[in-house]
Amino acid sequence: MDEIRGRVRNKSLHSKIVAAEEAAAVIRPGMNIGASGFTLAGYPKAVPLALAERIRREKFRINLWTGASVGKELDAALAEVNGIARRMPYQTSDGLRKAINSGKVEYADIHLSHMAQMAAAGFLGGKVDVAIVEACAITEDGHIVPTTSVGNSASYVQDADIVIVEINTTQPVELEGMHDIFLNQPAPNRLPIPIVKANDRIGTAYIPCGLDKITYIVPCNIPDAVRELAAIDENYRAMTAHLIEFLKFEIRAGRLPKNLLPLQSGVGSVANAVVAGLVDSDFEDLTVYTEVIQDGMFDLIDAGKLTFASGTSLTPSPAGIKRFYDNLAAYRQKILFRPQDISNSPEVIRRLGVIAMNTAIEFDIFGHVNSTHIAGSKIMNGIGGSGDFARNAYLTFFFTTSVAKGDKISSIVPMCSHVDHTEHDVDIFVTERGVADVRGLSPKERAKVIIDKCAHPAYQPLLRDYLERAEKSTGYAHTPHMLDEALSWHSRFLKNGRML
């Protein structure tokens, strides 16, 4: 308790320090709960676990809003007791995913840059009733110092009637100073976001709150439940090599500076592997303006190639989080965390000329991308921030291996079973096979380049045959499709377990 009191720097707040069960008791059925957390970092743990136990006994449900995905102590614990009625905007929990895909939870998959504004405006079914935010400290004036993410925490705190702060003693107080909290005004009083470089600081080092607004303070000693990243294999190395050669070509053509432009990389093993591969490139003096800081960015910092990384969250592996804490004094000079409506702001992405690199589940021959659904029906995780960056970046890349589950699934198909990013949003496709630069090409031209450069040899003849027959049957229409065959590959997979 002494450590908690030391982190709560105003003694008048010490009377608000309570057990998780007491704080959880304030939550009523049907409330909208706005929780901190973004990709398994900086999410509350003690109060959600206490809430899950209460729901197990009392049988009720709440609506859960976060920044992005959160750990097992929140999503999984509440899903296990059927405690979530509605969830948004992004998740990665196996148990919650099953509940969503079986109709037990209503899930709204929302662009991450939109969430704070939509919640504050009341578009999502009322306002935030309770904000639950993980912190490493509370300042003398009652402001909240976040931990390993910011996400939507600042917005939820402003909107909520009840604010519960979890002080997590596994998170070092030395995180203070790594956050830049900027809260814009709602329209029509919104001002330009004054970021012109990735390392610009424009806000405060804490979430504005105040002594009176904090309802409860809860001790917590549970660390972030970070996950292992997949090993970097030959396919990942091949994609990185293709990316490096493409970027070098753009530099030679005068379309990029030698140190590129600020990089964005989505969450996950593919994105991390591609970034990590840049360590062995000739690029130097790199900057990052992104959502998540992963292990590969630590590699670039340690190699002296990355000068600054702006994001909204850490998303490291277990080894990566230890590395971060062990070298915190050095990394705090190179890394900054912002609210996600700033890290993912279309205004800033366009101004900085970000190079966006994200992962697809599949893409089709005409350049549409599915990044969220399996066979068109079952959600995997969500769109996350990929749409924020894809639509507004200077260059937009999507990566995937050409096949999945051995050769049973082709990641390049005649028509996507679900579309998250249209042909209008994507510039370059990359698989281990090669790079398809589709800038300025018509749909039929794109199809030929994507098939030739990205598709697996086992599927190239089938894709070419489909395109040729579709052209003839539609009289060479602008985007030729045979609607009775366009999704037959997915149907074949559902029936036989393979697309061939």
Side-chain angles (χ1 to χ4, degrees), residues 36-295:
S36 65
F38 193 106
T39 54
L40 308 190
Y43 59 95
K45 305 162 182 74
V47 174
L49 286 172
L51 177 61
E53 284 304 309
R54 182 181 159 213
I55 290 174
R56 191 187 301 276
R57 298 189 304 271
E58 299 179 21
K59 310 298 183 190
F60 67 92
R61 307 174 87 195
I62 53 91
N63 304 312
L64 180 59
W65 306 347
T66 63
S69 53
V70 290
K72 59 186 179 181
E73 299 86 357
L74 183 45
D75 267 346
L78 291 177
E80 182 181 350
V81 296
N82 194 29
I84 302 174
R86 186 174 297 273
R87 179 72 170 89
M88 58 187 82
Y90 183 85
Q91 57 76 42
T92 59
S93 164
D94 289 341
L96 178 57
R97 184 185 302 116
K98 289 176 182 176
I100 293 167
N101 284 320
S102 63
K104 295 178 181 178
V105 175
E106 299 298 336
Y107 178 56
D109 186 17
I110 297 173
H111 291 298
L112 296 187
S113 70
H114 293 184
M115 183 66 193
Q117 174 179 278
M118 294 179 76
F123 294 166
L124 305 177
K127 62 181 181 60
V128 178
D129 295 303
V130 180
I132 312 175
V133 179
E134 182 179 273
C136 64
I138 299 176
T139 72
E140 291 81 356
D141 295 321
H143 302 313
I144 300 167
V145 181
T147 59
T148 45
S149 71
V150 177
N152 286 320
S153 301
S155 296
Y156 293 156
V157 167
Q158 307 311 306
D159 298 342
D161 293 327
I162 297 169
V163 175
I164 300 171
V165 182
E166 279 196 11
I167 300 293
N168 193 318
T169 55
T170 72
Q171 298 278 18
V173 293
E174 289 79 12
L175 289 168
E176 187 170 2
M178 294 189 71
H179 310 92
D180 185 54
I181 310 302
F182 178 83
L183 290 165
N184 215 331
Q185 296 297 311
N189 300 312
R190 184 168 295 142
L191 298 173
I193 300 170
I195 295 175
V196 296
K197 301 185 300 298
N199 62 348
D200 281 344
R201 287 180 175 266
I202 62 173
T204 61
Y206 51 77
I207 295 171
C209 185
L211 301 173
D212 294 338
K213 190 157 191 177
I214 295 174
T215 308
Y216 292 117
I217 300 167
V218 175
C220 180
N221 62 357
I222 305 170
D224 287 339
V226 295
R227 295 172 181 160
E228 293 287 355
L229 293 164
I232 298 175
D233 63 15
E234 290 306 311
N235 285 335
Y236 294 163
R237 292 189 183 93
M239 285 190 278
T240 302
H242 296 319
L243 171 68
I244 290 170
E245 286 306 309
F246 182 87
L247 294 174
K248 286 181 176 179
F249 178 83
E250 292 297 291
I251 292 170
R252 292 193 298 270
R255 293 189 285 262
L256 283 175
K258 289 184 178 180
N259 68 331
L260 306 177
L261 290 165
L263 303 174
Q264 178 264 338
S265 176
V267 67
S269 297
V270 173
N272 180 70
V274 169
V275 169
L278 295 176
V279 170
D280 298 322
S281 72
D282 298 329
F283 302 127
E284 296 181 343
D285 195 27
L286 299 172
T287 59
V288 162
Y289 194 85
T290 190
E291 304 165 295
V292 293
I293 311 297
Q294 299 195 105
D295 292 24

Side-chain angles (χ1 to χ4, degrees), residues 394-417:
Y394 181 79
L395 285 175
T396 292
F397 292 82
F398 272 91
F399 294 81
T400 187
T401 53
S402 63
V403 291
K405 295 186 181 297
D407 63 351
K408 295 178 181 178
I409 295 174
S410 174
S411 301
I412 296 89
V413 293
M415 177 185 280
C416 282
S417 60

